[in-house]
């Protein structure tokens, strides 16, 4: 294979890999925010589920068990956030930040015995036969199965939100919970379900990071991906298809800076490492220049508490 083509193939494949945890988290955040709730704690949720998945796989040797436990733990963390934000009606922004800080501290404590530990080997990733195709095989068909699940989840989320009655109800709860409640819909229960779904997505993303993307545990290994996922949802104006584009865009920026470093580009490593976060700031700054466009797409009741007894 031509060296330039081989480099392009490797860059595309690594971009899809890097974008997978961001996409998984962003889809969960998008569904949660469509229900009218803001959860800023996804970074902490990813960290906790990352260390839990690593510990389970390290101890049991079962990859599927690790992903399953991470999914459940993520859903439970979403329910914990809901208990405060929906049940006790605490401030959603403050509660989310507290969850992010709690998750960072808890994961650091739980991960102490696993620093420097290795995971058992696993089978080759990708789709059998298809991964052996020239060019397309290593580019598109040699990924871990969660990369395909993330892309499929975006399609399912778009179908659910805009083509089903349940999705219409969820969006109605995000636009006007008072009207939805008056029609007999259980607003807080719907929002709790959305939060648990979002937590499960963050759990899968955390498990992917610690067991597949970088199969090791290190404190703070999510490196801000939860915050980037929150930014991706705003960038996507709460549309799943645009969230796919945003996740892979930021994944591509991450991989591009690593590729340039590998090619010997003479730039400060610190400057190269900050590139994905700089891209996030630039994108948000560009979007914020048109606040009317954001208001037209943002759920009308986003971040507003709802008290059915008021």
């Amino acid at each position: 294979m031509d060296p330039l083509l081989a480099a392009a193939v490797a860059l595309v494949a690594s971009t899809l890999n890097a974008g997978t945890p961001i996409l998984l988290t962003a889809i969960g955040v998008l569904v949660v925010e469509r229900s009218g709730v803001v959860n800023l704690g996804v970074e902490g949720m990813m960290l906790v589920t990352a260390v839990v998945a690593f510990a389970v796989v390290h101890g049991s040797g079962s990859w599927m068990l690790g992903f399953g436990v991470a999914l459940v733990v993520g859903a439970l963390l979403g329910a914990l956030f809901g208990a405060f934000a929906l049940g006790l009606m605490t401030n959603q922004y403050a509660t989310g930040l507290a969850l992010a800080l709690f998750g960072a501290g808890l994961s650091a404590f739980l991960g102490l015995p696993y620093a420097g530990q290795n995971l058992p080997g696993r089978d080759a990733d990708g789709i059998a036969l298809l991964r052996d195709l020239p060019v397309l095989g290593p580019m598109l068909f040699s990924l871990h199965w969660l990369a395909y699940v993330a892309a499929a989840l975006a399609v399912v989320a778009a179908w659910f939100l805009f083509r089903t009655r349940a999705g219409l109800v969820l969006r109605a709860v995000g636009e006007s919970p008072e009207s939805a409640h008056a029609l007999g819909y259980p607003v807080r229960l719907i929002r709790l379900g959305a939060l648990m779904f979002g937590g499960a997505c963050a759990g899968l993303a955390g498990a992917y990071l610690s067991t597949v993307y970088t199969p090791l545990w290190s404190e703070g290994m999510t490196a801000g991906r939860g915050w980037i996922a929150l930014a991706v949802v705003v960038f996507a104006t709460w549309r799943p298809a645009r969230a796919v584009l945003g996740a892979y865009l930021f994944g591509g920026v991450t991989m591009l800076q690593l590729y340039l470093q590998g090619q010997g580009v003479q730039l400060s490593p610190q400057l190269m490492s900050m590139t994905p976060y700089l891209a996030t700031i630039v994108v948000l700054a560009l979007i914020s220049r048109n606040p009317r466009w954001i208001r037209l797409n943002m759920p009308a009741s986003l971040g507003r508490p709802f008290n059915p007894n008021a």
Side-chain angles (χ1 to χ4, degrees):
M1 187 183 296
D2 179 76
L4 187 59
L5 178 59
V9 168
L11 184 59
V12 171
S14 58
T15 293
L16 297 177
N17 271 319
T20 293
I22 298 175
L23 179 57
L24 281 168
T25 308
I27 293 300
V29 169
L30 190 150
V31 171
V32 169
E33 295 196 355
R34 277 288 184 176
S35 74
V37 179
V38 176
N39 180 7
L40 300 182
V42 289
E43 178 81 3
M45 296 166 73
M46 290 175 70
L47 282 168
V48 172
T49 53
V51 70
V52 166
F54 187 91
V56 171
V57 174
H58 183 271
S60 68
S62 172
W63 300 86
M64 292 306 297
L65 182 60
F67 285 117
V69 172
L71 186 148
V72 172
V73 170
L76 290 176
L77 288 172
L80 176 64
F81 176 89
F84 286 95
L86 304 180
L88 301 178
M89 287 186 294
T90 59
N91 182 281
Q92 294 178 15
Y93 297 94
T95 304
L97 289 173
L99 181 58
L101 295 172
F102 169 75
L106 179 62
S107 64
F109 173 73
L110 295 177
L112 287 175
Y114 300 101
Q117 299 293 317
N118 295 319
L119 293 179
R122 56 189 175 88
D123 296 334
D125 294 331
I127 303 173
L129 300 180
L130 293 180
R131 65 185 172 215
D132 297 325
L133 294 173
V135 183
L136 289 181
M139 182 187 296
L140 301 176
F141 301 118
S142 61
L143 307 174
H144 188 268
W145 59 268
L146 258 181
Y148 306 111
V149 168
L153 192 62
V155 175
V156 171
W159 170 79
F160 170 78
L161 288 171
F162 301 107
R163 292 290 185 270
T164 68
R165 179 178 177 81
L168 176 63
V169 171
L170 184 138
R171 288 189 290 123
V173 167
E175 293 294 333
S176 178
E178 294 82 6
S179 299
H181 177 69
L183 291 173
Y185 293 112
V187 172
R188 290 197 289 186
L189 189 59
I190 292 171
R191 287 182 166 180
L192 178 61
L195 281 167
M196 294 184 71
F197 171 79
C201 291
L204 287 177
Y208 179 88
L209 279 172
S210 64
T211 64
V212 177
Y213 187 66
T214 53
L216 54 84
W217 165 254
S218 63
E219 183 178 342
M221 67 178 302
T222 53
R225 287 178 176 85
W227 301 110
I228 290 178
L230 288 162
V232 163
V233 173
V234 179
F235 164 81
T237 58
W238 296 269
R239 298 276 178 169
R242 296 174 187 170
V244 175
L245 174 64
Y248 291 141
L249 171 64
F250 288 109
V253 171
T254 301
M255 288 299 103
L256 182 60
Q257 56 99 4
L258 293 176
Y259 174 77
L260 292 176
Q261 286 182 8
Q263 295 300 308
V265 175
Q266 297 301 313
L267 288 175
S268 167
Q270 291 78 14
L271 179 63
M272 299 291 279
S273 298
M274 67 181 281
T275 304
Y277 312 103
L278 180 62
T280 303
I281 295 172
V282 170
V283 167
L284 290 177
L286 292 175
I287 292 175
S288 64
R289 294 181 62 187
N290 191 352
R292 181 174 176 273
W293 186 50
I294 294 179
R295 285 197 301 270
L296 288 174
N297 292 279
M298 182 178 68
S301 295
L302 183 63
R304 285 171 41 196
F306 170 72
N307 184 1
N309 302 315

